Amino acid sequence: MAKMKVLFATSEVAPLIKTGGLADVSGALPAALRELGIDVRVLLPGYPVVMQQCGSFDVVATFANLVGFPVSRLLSGKMENDVPLFVLDCPALYQREGGPYQDASGNDYSDNALRFGLLSKVAALLAGRATPLAWHPNIVNCNDWQTGLTPAYLKFTPGGARSVITIHNLAFQGNFPSTYVHALGLPDYSYQLQGLEFHGHLSFLKAGLQYADHITTVSPNYAQEIQGEELGFGMQGLLQFRKDELTGILNGLDIDEWNPATDPHLAKRYQVRDMTGKAVNKAELQKEMGLKQEADVPLLGVVSRLTHQKGLDLLLEIAPRLMELPAQLVILGSGDVTMQNAAKELAYRYPGQIAVKIGYSEPLSHQIEAGADMFIMPSRFEPCGLNQMYSQRYGTPPVVHATGGLSDSVRDCTPQSLADGSASGFVFSGMTANNLYKTIQRAVRLYGVPKEWQMLRKNCMSKDFSWELSAKAYIEVYRKVLGR
Ligand code: ADP
């Protein structure tokens, strides 16, 4: 049988450009699919950092008359991991000072509908009959709202590839004024309840959910949760309607990038057979972050966007009580200014016990995963979540709220689950500060019993988080969609 060809359309890919988990998935899943014999190629906008790295790629197509979009060029080359990459170069839309979606002050670009309308349109074009390329994909796998219009464009120009949309976070929907329906070259009749319309707006995400041949999301539990009112963000009716074409697949990890045995960011590498290096990383992290050099005080770690979703307001609220346990706390993140200030204020009040770094740092994120004793992730909702899996791989048991992918990837520690080897962290239900406190207290108690704590760490580090299983599940979905 001919090789299956998949165009993977995405707005960020690690390590080229990353704001969150979508980039990690886009960096690793295509590589894992290629290992399994699928011909996957990635499509990404040419943001400045991407053009710096890929500017010498070959120009393989030019788009001039695309429904009013500015002229753009398609460049083709390969990423470091050998995965073929198409870069959509359109300086008028992508050459900006800020990030992929927002300017340097954190405001969404006012023309995001055009910026990602173009990305969606080009993905559909490459997956359609009129593609300028010799390569004809069978499937286009879109990701989140930024490529949500692709399935719609494909629907309105039949004869192209089948489409799958993957939801990484349903809270971001790409809802824009209805005037964009025309501007983006979408037919008038598509702007209706059973189409692109969502509460008086054109919704990119809804377009994807409505018109894709299949919908996937990043954990089985989240696939269920988004069919309910609480986490459906208004899309629950449509998702219930399409539940037979909705599949939850837990993300894997880039196990080469996140490997304590080879991680170049660590002071000392370690592995499950010999974890002595972990203590060295803890001491180094304490030193670097200005924390007291106390080997036996549990060090709690956080690496996160500082937003309401991540539930860190609860952690900040109980931080003074946690200091009494005693414990230390290190936080790396950025986001809401009030949360940033509250975190900085705590670091000021508890010098040597709480350290906060506002910003984004890949090396420090690895050092926290390795140097902390436990990782705190009390998200209100979490489609999949990666950090709780990284932390397990680094022998740093996570403390998580029972939601989405956190429930699917962390097994609560009880005497029974510890004994049968399945325990891998601490899970609490009921999103209150006190429940979080009691669960961290439970973790700290076990930390005080070295033999059991060692067992828990070993369980964590022995788990298989590779992409292979997940990639196989994606291939199953593609096969189903193609009727193979
Ligand atoms: P989300 O995509 O909702 O932000 P995930 O846990 O799925 O959450 O993925 C977040 C990714 O971004 C992880 O790889 C995490 O390590 C990384 N990350 C988040 N904040 C920071 C930061 N301040 N510095 C470095 N890495 C960060």
Side-chain angles (χ1 to χ4, degrees), residues 27-39:
L29 173 58
L33 288 167
R34 287 186 77 83
E35 289 274 311
L36 295 169
I38 308 294
D39 179 3

Side-chain angles (χ1 to χ4, degrees), residues 18-21 24 251-253 258 301-305 310 312 332-333 360-362 364-366 368-370 374-379 382 384-400 405-406 409-410 424 465:
K18 167 170 165 179
T19 72
D24 293 281
N251 285 336
L253 300 184
W258 294 92
V302 171
V303 179
S304 182
R305 289 185 289 119
K310 300 293 178 180
L312 294 167
L332 165 65
Y360 192 92
S361 164
E362 201 67 43
L364 184 56
S365 70
H366 288 240
I368 292 176
E369 296 288 6
M374 46 199 93
F375 192 87
I376 314 299
M377 197 161 170
S379 308
E382 193 60 75
C384 176
L386 293 169
N387 279 302
Q388 82 285 3
M389 296 196 275
Y390 297 149
S391 70
Q392 289 172 69
R393 200 156 153 71
Y394 281 64
T396 305
V399 176
V400 303
L406 300 179
S409 60
V410 184
S424 67
F465 288 113

Side-chain angles (χ1 to χ4, degrees), residues 166-243:
T166 301
I167 308 169
H168 299 261
N169 193 337
L170 194 68
F172 302 111
Q173 304 185 332
N175 299 330
F176 298 100
S178 57
T179 44
Y180 279 111
V181 173
H182 260 212
L184 296 172
L186 295 158
D188 282 340
Y189 65 79
S190 66
Y191 188 69
Q192 46 132 330
L193 189 63
Q194 263 104 38
L196 311 164
E197 192 264 340
F198 185 63
H199 299 292
H201 283 74
L202 159 65
S203 172
F204 277 42
L205 184 65
K206 188 179 169 202
L209 302 184
Q210 185 77 42
Y211 294 112
D213 294 300
H214 202 96
I215 302 165
T216 70
T217 188
V218 289
S219 69
N221 195 32
Y222 192 61
Q224 294 302 317
E225 288 173 343
I226 55 178
Q227 295 177 48
E229 196 171 334
E230 194 184 339
L231 292 179
F233 291 94
M235 304 278 180
Q236 61 271 19
L238 176 55
L239 290 164
Q240 278 163 28
F241 181 73
R242 299 215 57 194
K243 67 176 188 310

Side-chain angles (χ1 to χ4, degrees), residues 311 313-319 321-322 325 378 380 399 401 427-442:
D313 45 316
L314 300 189
L315 179 67
L316 300 181
E317 189 184 326
I318 60 170
R321 285 169 75 197
L322 292 175
L325 283 172
R380 290 193 161 79
V399 176
H401 178 221
V427 184
F428 68 97
S429 301
M431 189 64 195
T432 66
N434 202 40
N435 287 346
L436 174 61
Y437 175 78
K438 283 193 299 196
T439 310
I440 295 177
Q441 193 183 38
R442 185 156 65 87

Side-chain angles (χ1 to χ4, degrees), residues 48 50 56 98 103 128 154 166 169 171 228 232 238 254 283 320 358-360 366 386 392 413 425 441 448 451 482:
V50 174
S56 62
D103 63 23
L154 281 170
T166 301
N169 193 337
L238 176 55
D254 185 333
I358 301 299
Y360 192 92
H366 288 240
L386 293 169
Q392 289 172 69
C413 183
Q441 193 183 38
K451 199 165 149 240
L482 292 172

